[in-house]
Amino acid sequence: MTGVGLRRLTIVFGLLVLLTYFWFQSKSLDPALLERMYRPLNAFELHDAELNRDVLLARAGLLNHYDTLASIGAELADAVKTLQQQSATVPAEAGKHLDQSLTALTTALRQKTAQLEYFKSDNALLHNSLAYVIYISHRLHRRAAEAGHSALVAELGTLTNALLRFMETPEDAVGDEIKALLARLPTTPKFRQDLQSLAVHGRYIVAALPQMDALIRELITAPTTAEARVLQHTLLRYHHQLEARARLFRLLLYIAAVALLGYLSYVFWRLQANSRNLRAANEALEQEIEERRRTEAALRESEERYMLAMQGANEGLWDWLVEPDRVHVSEHACRLLGLDPASSTFTGDAWQTAIHPDDRQRFRETLRSHLRGDSEFFQCEIRIMKPNQEVGWAFIRGLGLRDENGRIYRMAGSIGDITARKHLEQQTRQQELQLIQANKMTTLGTLISGVAHEVNNPNQLVLTNVRLLREAWAGAVAILDAHQQVHGEFALAGLPYAEMREAVPVLMQDMHEGALRIERIINNLRDFARPSPPGFRAEFDINDAVQHGLRLLTYLIRKKTSQFRIDLAPGLPPVRGDPQQLEQVVVNLVTNALEALPEPSRGVTVSTRFDPAVPGVVLTVEDEGIGIPPEHLARLCDPFFTTKQASGGTGLGLAISSSLVHAHGGGLTFASSPAQGTRAVVTLRQAATTG
Amino acid sequence: MTEKALPDRWFSARQSRRAVALVLGWSLIANLGAASAPLGPATAASQSAEVAPETQQPFAPLPFTTDENPAKVALGERLFQDVRLSRDDTLACLTCHQLAEGGDDGLSRSMTARGIALARNVPTVFNVAFNASFNWDGGVPSLEVQAEGVLLNAQVMNNTWPELIAKLGADPDYAAAFRALYPEGLSPANLVDALVSFERSLITPNARFDRYLRGEHRALSAEELEGYELFKGYGCASCHQGINVGGNLFQKFGIFQDPDTSRSPAEQADLGRFEVTRVARDREVFRVPSLRNVALTAPYFHDGRTRSLKEAVATMARVQLGRRLSPQDVDLIVRFLHTLTGEFRGRPLTVPAQESP
């Protein structure tokens, strides 16, 4: 800003200096100087003309006396002297030419003055002689006439005539004639003196008159006038040169003035534009301030509204800067997480201490998954260890801001208290259990009643009969032993009696056991049908539960597939929960798998394995069935969702299974590809004894 | 001369001269045609003097006063009389220019205190303001140059400016007087100026001839008038004309005769103006002197060869006009010349006692 101002100031100052310089240069030649030169020069020319005129007047005898000539000469000399004095004040370059002209003029004047002196002298004498010859010739004429000297009278007449002609035109011929006349004048003693005088003056006139005329011509044509003109021209030229230069500088002056004016106008215009811009900027700024104030008010209002909404929604806020690993946690969120509300900033690890130890791993997994970009949003339900050892539930949601490399550098989101919801969910689960009960009543209840009725009676018959047959065999053995003793070896039912004697009791025992087993199965069915008390917790082996479940389905399995595989991993850690409920899950899943098989050649595999990632066990039921359309996959666990309405499906099987699994803190997921098969995976955490 | 005054003066001068030329022209023609006047053309002119007596004459009366600064004139007068202007305190200007007499020293050739005779006769200081040139040979163009020349001339005042200024500057009266008149006080130029101011004030107006010229016809007697006519008729007035009756041109001394017939051949002639100009025709040319107060300025001519005015008149007529005048005519002319004696400071100048015409 100051740089610009300094530059403008310099330009203006420079233009002013230039202006001043031009102004000084544009001054015309000092008029007084020219005047001082012209005045004596004009006077000189005037007096020179006057002198010429007076010379002619003097020649004609019309000038009274020579004082006028003398005074004119003095004035001419004065004029030249003044010119010389003034020329000393003329600047050098012009002064040189002036001096030359002036010197020439001075010389011319000196010569003319000298000639003027001669003229005065000669003119005085000539006039005397002219007057005298007229006078003397007239007197001689008179005297000669009186004396009767006619020859002299005639001669004098001729002489007078010649003299008058000579005076009129001083030609050489006339002069010679006069001289001849004078020479032959008679030398009469009586007139000798007058004749001599006449001759002397006559000869003087003949000699002096032409000289006189020549002198006058020289005087009149003296170079004074010409030199004065030259001087005048020199002065004029010099004046014109200076004037032209002054005019040029006047033009420059004008241009500089216009430039200055233009520049000042420009600066003024800029100033105005600047002030206008400034005003506009000021207005814009005020407007912006006003807008910002409004925006801030709106923002504050919005924030307040948001905070209010958040508080109303029982939501807290968190904001995680990845790089310095700082998490800003709102006051509400702090309270929610059981953190000290006084400090609002924590490291990433610190605030995770609020998370229930069982959920930390899952929380980190979910977070990592979002950081990797696997999930669009980060959301996770966690349990919170409140300071009073209560366990609360929180739902954390968030979204990461990614840099150009796709790396998340900041994440923010909300945290909501969902403890109440979780309680509600538990209530819902109670209702689900009732539903399950109802389901049991509808499915197992009828089955069990059927089995109890249809199976138990024949089975009792078998049991009774086996006992009878055993006793019968005991009696028969003695007879048959005897027979062998008697008859030796013999065949019984295609086998040698010796073998049969040992085998039959075993067969009998097997039959008895089988019947007993049937009886047990029926009891199991009754157990299954009978609802387990809620919240029952026991540690058990998942494989037992699987086997129990499958045992219930033996008939169905055999009917539906020839490729039923069981792959149970040994030494699995126990899980905690209700074994009967899990049996029901197995029954449901396997039933579904079996029913999905289009033909018996297709297989079903039931497997268990240990998954250290959970950590816990994984139960997989995999069929080679028709598969599930993708649009149904997500709704599989919805209650009363069924595709088997026609074949008596209640739509409760998988819903119950899912709720049961979840009740055990596990997960039930399905994966299916149409015509390839479906895989149901149950994940169960191992019992918490290991932490 | 101011620019404004010039045209007016030029106009008026032209007008008046045209009138004069007309009248003179007619008179000359009439004179030549009739040729009846016994003494020459000027007679006719004087007879028709009723028309415009003043302007027709080749003469003009002296003014009664000059416009010199009285203070400067007074200072100049003191200087004029002061012998300290000469180196040896022997000569003052007044020594050679006796104001009680003819403004000269009455000697043929002045002698300095050291016995050196000056080259020529001392001209009168009266009426020098009206002379066009100075000294016998016109060698000095102005009174200022003349004054300085005399002061520094080794044969006259024999001074130098530093000495002179120092000497006069020691006089408190001079120092004060100069300071009062000149900004720079006593200086060579101012000293000369004061002297010349005084010289220019030395006029001798109101001669009887001047009174005649002013129209007082009875100022001249019949004889003097006759002498005047002769003066003009013989041609004396051809050279001795103007306000100073001479003093405004040069003339060769001896037109029709050698004036120095008595001179021995060994004696070197005075070459006059030739000494100044070195031009051949200026040999023996001298300034035509003023004839005002001529009755008081004997001896006459550049060498003061005669104390007799009659002889001087006769010599002039013989050598300059080629005429021999009768004693009566000479006498009449001399009578006329006596009417040229004017008044100095209100008193008529008187003929010195030794004068014997």
Side-chain angles (χ1 to χ4, degrees):
Chain A
M1 197 68 193
T2 51
V4 172
L6 198 67
R7 203 185 66 216
R8 286 193 183 145
L9 203 67
T10 311
I11 289 174
V12 170
F13 183 72
L15 279 171
L16 279 174
V17 167
L18 207 62
L19 217 60
T20 315
Y21 172 73
F22 286 157
W23 181 61
F24 274 110
Q25 294 295 329
S26 67
K27 275 187 178 170
S28 299
L29 177 66
D30 180 11
L33 175 70
L34 274 179
E35 183 59 37
R36 287 197 301 272
M37 286 298 282
Y38 278 130
R39 211 186 294 148
L41 192 59
N42 287 340
F44 180 89
E45 286 178 292
L46 215 56
H47 291 312
D48 193 38
E50 232 181 334
L51 188 72
N52 290 347
R53 184 207 57 198
D54 281 2
V55 163
L56 291 172
L57 282 176
R59 169 69 187 91
L62 299 176
L63 196 70
N64 286 354
H65 47 71
Y66 296 129
D67 282 355
T68 52
L69 283 175
S71 70
I72 291 170
E75 273 167 359
L76 282 170
D78 273 354
V80 169
K81 201 171 149 192
T82 313
L83 279 172
Q84 280 166 340
Q85 283 166 353
Q86 293 304 331
S87 77
T89 65
V90 172
E93 77 268 32
K96 202 179 128 196
H97 295 290
L98 273 184
D99 284 348
Q100 283 178 0
S101 299
L102 209 51
T103 309
L105 184 66
T106 312
T107 311
L109 179 65
R110 197 167 53 239
Q111 286 167 357
K112 189 166 183 172
T113 310
Q115 284 172 340
L116 183 66
E117 288 303 330
Y118 299 148
F119 166 76
K120 287 194 286 188
S121 308
D122 291 355
N123 194 46
L125 295 175
L126 189 63
H127 270 277
N128 277 348
S129 291
L130 284 171
Y132 186 64
V133 286
I134 299 296
Y135 166 74
I136 199 75
S137 62
H138 180 72
R139 195 171 74 172
L140 271 172
H141 187 271
R142 182 165 46 84
R143 285 176 66 191
E146 283 170 3
H149 200 316
S150 59
L152 185 58
V153 169
E155 285 290 336
L156 284 171
T158 313
L159 183 66
T160 305
N161 178 274
L163 277 169
L164 283 171
R165 275 189 288 126
F166 190 71
M167 279 182 231
E168 180 64 27
T169 335
E171 287 170 356
D172 287 350
V174 186
D176 291 344
E177 188 188 332
I178 292 168
K179 275 193 253 181
L181 280 168
L182 289 172
R184 69 164 188 257
L185 278 175
T187 53
T188 315
K190 187 181 176 187
F191 309 124
R192 197 171 60 91
Q193 203 182 335
D194 280 358
L195 284 170
Q196 273 178 355
S197 288
L198 179 63
V200 165
H201 286 278
R203 287 195 193 94
Y204 181 82
I205 288 168
V206 170
L209 199 58
Q211 279 177 18
M212 188 69 197
D213 286 350
L215 190 59
I216 286 177
R217 264 193 291 277
E218 273 181 48
L219 269 171
I220 301 298
T221 59
T224 45
T225 313
E227 293 298 344
R229 291 246 165 81
V230 168
L231 184 61
Q232 199 167 22
H233 283 153
T234 308
L235 264 177
L236 268 176
R237 202 171 55 234
Y238 170 60
H239 182 208
H240 284 154
Q241 274 174 4
L242 284 186
E243 195 52 41
R245 186 168 178 275
R247 216 176 301 130
L248 174 69
F249 275 102
R250 268 200 289 278
L251 183 66
L252 288 172
L253 180 74
Y254 172 74
I255 289 170
V258 166
L260 180 64
L261 202 66
Y263 187 71
L264 284 178
S265 306
Y266 166 72
V267 168
F268 184 69
W269 174 76
R270 283 290 301 269
L271 204 66
Q272 272 204 326
N274 279 354
S275 81
R276 208 161 41 233
N277 289 347
L278 213 60
R279 207 155 44 231
N282 197 28
E283 279 170 11
L285 205 64
E286 277 175 6
Q287 207 171 340
E288 199 175 313
I289 286 169
E290 181 58 33
E291 265 174 25
R292 187 166 296 176
R293 198 181 298 129
R294 269 204 300 273
T295 309
E296 273 173 6
L299 194 64
R300 200 158 45 238
E301 200 183 330
S302 165
E303 261 177 16
E304 280 168 7
R305 198 184 300 132
Y306 184 63
M307 290 305 291
L308 207 63
M310 280 296 190
Q311 280 175 3
N314 206 17
E315 295 262 330
L317 293 175
W318 58 271
D319 184 358
W320 177 36
L321 279 170
V322 177
E323 195 34 61
D325 191 18
R326 283 279 177 279
V327 185
H328 179 82
V329 184
S330 76
E331 199 184 320
H332 186 69
C334 278
R335 265 199 304 278
L336 213 145
L337 288 168
L339 296 169
D340 182 9
S343 57
S344 57
T345 304
F346 305 89
T347 63
D349 286 335
W351 82 303
Q352 284 182 22
T353 55
I355 300 173
H356 193 283
D358 290 356
D359 290 353
R360 275 179 209 157
Q361 185 66 30
R362 191 164 48 82
F363 174 79
R364 287 188 194 129
E365 288 259 321
T366 318
L367 185 60
R368 263 187 232 119
S369 153
H370 183 65
L371 289 175
R372 278 198 304 271
D374 290 349
S375 56
E376 194 181 349
F377 297 102
F378 165 71
Q379 51 185 16
C380 184
E381 279 182 3
I382 48 167
R383 276 172 295 174
I384 303 294
M385 291 298 288
K386 293 282 180 67
N388 55 6
Q389 294 304 310
E390 257 181 50
V391 173
W393 283 87
F395 183 53
I396 296 189
R397 277 181 292 207
L399 182 65
L401 293 172
R402 297 180 186 279
D403 61 18
E404 61 270 24
N405 300 324
R407 275 166 44 95
I408 287 178
Y409 62 92
R410 182 175 181 177
M411 269 186 79
S414 65
I415 177 164
D417 192 343
I418 55 167
T419 311
R421 201 186 86 202
K422 280 291 172 184
H423 286 313
L424 207 66
E425 276 179 11
Q426 277 183 348
Q427 286 177 2
T428 310
R429 192 163 300 120
Q430 290 293 327
Q431 290 169 349
E432 277 176 2
L433 284 175
Q434 287 173 356
L435 279 172
I436 290 163
Q437 191 62 28
N439 179 258
K440 277 177 183 173
M441 290 306 290
T442 52
T443 56
L444 293 181
T446 49
L447 179 67
I448 287 162
S449 60
V451 167
H453 185 72
E454 296 295 331
V455 176
N456 205 33
N457 287 349
N459 196 45
Q460 289 302 321
L461 192 62
V462 170
L463 279 172
T464 311
N465 291 352
V466 165
R467 267 189 310 266
L468 190 64
L469 281 173
R470 198 182 281 168
E471 286 168 17
W473 180 257
V477 162
I479 301 162
L480 287 172
D481 280 346
H483 181 73
Q484 190 191 29
Q485 287 302 111
V486 171
H487 299 292
E489 194 61 70
F490 67 92
L492 197 65
L495 290 172
Y497 171 70
E499 282 177 43
M500 282 300 280
R501 193 187 183 271
E502 298 301 320
V504 169
V506 174
L507 293 172
M508 294 284 191
Q509 184 61 32
D510 284 352
M511 280 168 70
H512 187 239
E513 280 182 6
L516 284 176
R517 194 174 160 199
I518 290 166
E519 190 176 37
R520 202 163 56 241
I521 287 168
I522 289 169
N523 287 339
N524 280 353
L525 282 171
R526 284 188 182 131
D527 289 345
F528 179 69
R530 190 171 58 244
S532 301
F536 175 80
R537 286 289 187 268
E539 289 190 2
F540 62 94
D541 188 343
I542 186 82
N543 288 349
D544 291 346
V546 171
Q547 278 168 341
H548 272 279
L550 290 179
R551 205 176 297 149
L552 293 173
L553 295 172
T554 311
Y555 169 75
L556 190 62
I557 292 167
R558 209 169 291 156
K559 181 184 165 194
K560 285 288 184 179
T561 180
S562 55
Q563 300 290 323
F564 196 80
R565 289 174 290 273
I566 303 171
D567 178 15
L568 302 176
L572 290 175
V575 296
R576 192 178 179 83
D578 186 338
Q580 283 192 3
Q581 289 181 350
L582 281 175
E583 276 171 33
Q584 192 179 350
V585 168
V586 171
V587 169
N588 280 344
L589 291 177
V590 173
T591 306
N592 277 348
L594 290 171
E595 286 178 347
L597 296 177
E599 51 184 45
S601 62
R602 300 292 185 98
V604 171
T605 306
V606 176
S607 63
T608 59
R609 62 185 172 90
F610 176 70
D611 187 352
V614 179
V617 294
V618 173
L619 163 68
T620 310
V621 178
E622 210 170 358
D623 67 64
E624 296 168 348
I626 53 171
I628 304 165
E631 66 269 20
H632 292 160
L633 206 55
R635 298 181 58 202
L636 281 179
C637 298
D638 288 357
F640 308 111
F641 176 81
T642 179
T643 55
K644 297 173 285 192
Q645 197 99 49
S647 55
T650 61
L652 283 169
L654 283 180
I656 291 165
S657 301
S658 176
S659 64
L660 287 175
V661 170
H662 280 109
H664 283 77
L668 172 58
T669 57
F670 293 91
S672 177
S673 40
Q676 294 291 311
T678 306
R679 183 195 338 209
V681 179
V682 175
T683 313
L684 288 168
R685 302 170 70 85
Q686 65 185 75
T689 48
T690 52
Chain B
M1 175 187 294
T2 64
E3 192 187 40
K4 198 181 166 196
L6 184 68
D8 292 342
R9 182 166 156 183
W10 161 236
F11 180 75
S12 63
R14 195 169 53 181
Q15 295 284 80
S16 65
R17 277 179 196 144
R18 188 176 286 165
V20 170
L22 209 63
V23 172
L24 274 179
W26 277 112
S27 67
L28 190 69
I29 290 164
N31 180 31
L32 282 174
S36 54
L39 294 172
T43 313
S46 70
Q47 280 167 351
S48 61
E50 300 346 57
V51 183
E54 304 85 3
T55 53
Q56 270 191 338
Q57 307 297 338
F59 308 99
L62 284 173
F64 290 100
T65 56
T66 62
D67 52 2
E68 295 300 319
N69 181 341
K72 286 185 183 178
V73 170
L75 178 59
E77 184 171 9
R78 275 186 63 193
L79 291 164
F80 197 81
Q81 303 165 351
D82 199 329
V83 292
R84 283 179 290 180
L85 260 56
S86 66
R87 189 178 199 174
D88 47 11
D89 297 345
T90 53
L91 295 175
C93 302
L94 193 65
T95 312
C96 294
H97 299 286
Q98 299 285 336
L99 299 180
E101 299 175 13
D104 60 357
D105 58 0
L107 301 170
S108 299
R109 291 167 69 189
S110 304
M111 299 291 284
T112 66
R114 284 163 289 155
I116 302 169
L118 296 184
R120 296 181 186 124
N121 177 259
V122 170
T124 178
V125 76
F126 284 130
N127 305 314
V128 284
F130 305 105
N131 279 347
S133 55
F134 308 95
N135 285 354
W136 284 102
D137 55 8
V140 290
S142 69
L143 283 174
E144 284 82 358
V145 177
Q146 192 273 340
E148 182 172 15
V150 171
L151 287 171
L152 303 185
N153 191 331
Q155 296 187 344
V156 191
M157 299 296 210
N158 191 28
N159 232 324
T160 62
W161 277 125
E163 281 182 53
L164 182 56
I165 295 298
K167 189 155 73 177
L168 294 184
D171 184 334
D173 287 353
Y174 272 131
F178 271 103
R179 264 201 308 280
L181 284 169
Y182 301 96
E184 60 271 35
L186 174 58
S187 74
N190 295 339
L191 190 148
V192 166
D193 185 66
L195 265 179
V196 169
S197 288
F198 176 64
E199 286 171 16
R200 288 187 200 281
S201 77
L202 300 175
I203 56 171
T204 61
N206 210 28
R208 287 194 290 121
F209 179 59
D210 283 353
R211 284 154 57 195
Y212 170 78
L213 287 176
R214 286 196 168 93
E216 194 182 331
H217 294 286
R218 294 180 180 281
L220 299 189
S221 67
E223 282 177 329
E224 286 160 350
L225 268 178
E226 202 175 336
Y228 174 42
E229 294 305 331
L230 288 172
F231 185 77
K232 291 191 286 183
Y234 279 117
C236 307
S238 289
C239 292
H240 295 281
Q241 34 64 54
I243 191 169
N244 248 3
V245 198
N248 58 6
L249 77 159
F250 297 92
Q251 199 53 275
K252 185 175 172 68
F253 187 34
I255 303 289
F256 296 98
Q257 268 188 28
D258 183 0
D260 299 315
T261 43
S262 58
R263 192 183 60 202
S264 67
E267 205 174 340
Q268 186 65 42
D270 189 339
L271 295 178
R273 189 157 169 75
F274 179 79
E275 307 281 0
V276 177
T277 64
R278 295 282 152 191
V279 174
R281 70 161 282 177
D282 284 334
R283 275 178 184 275
E284 293 169 43
V285 166
F286 294 90
R287 187 175 66 101
V288 173
S290 164
L291 293 184
R292 286 195 176 274
N293 306 311
V294 70
L296 310 179
T297 58
Y300 303 108
F301 302 121
H302 64 273
D303 49 5
R305 61 177 63 187
T306 176
R307 300 198 71 84
S308 161
L309 189 53
K310 286 177 181 168
E311 189 185 334
V313 170
T315 303
M316 279 284 102
R318 194 180 76 248
V319 304
Q320 299 300 101
L321 299 173
R323 309 282 288 272
R324 291 193 178 276
L325 301 190
S326 63
Q328 294 87 344
D329 282 357
V330 171
D331 188 57
L332 287 170
I333 288 171
V334 167
R335 281 175 190 276
F336 163 68
L337 291 178
H338 274 81
T339 69
L340 293 173
T341 301
E343 298 173 357
F344 180 58
R345 292 172 178 169
R347 278 214 309 269
L349 288 165
T350 51
V351 181
Q354 68 267 30
E355 167 61 22
S356 54

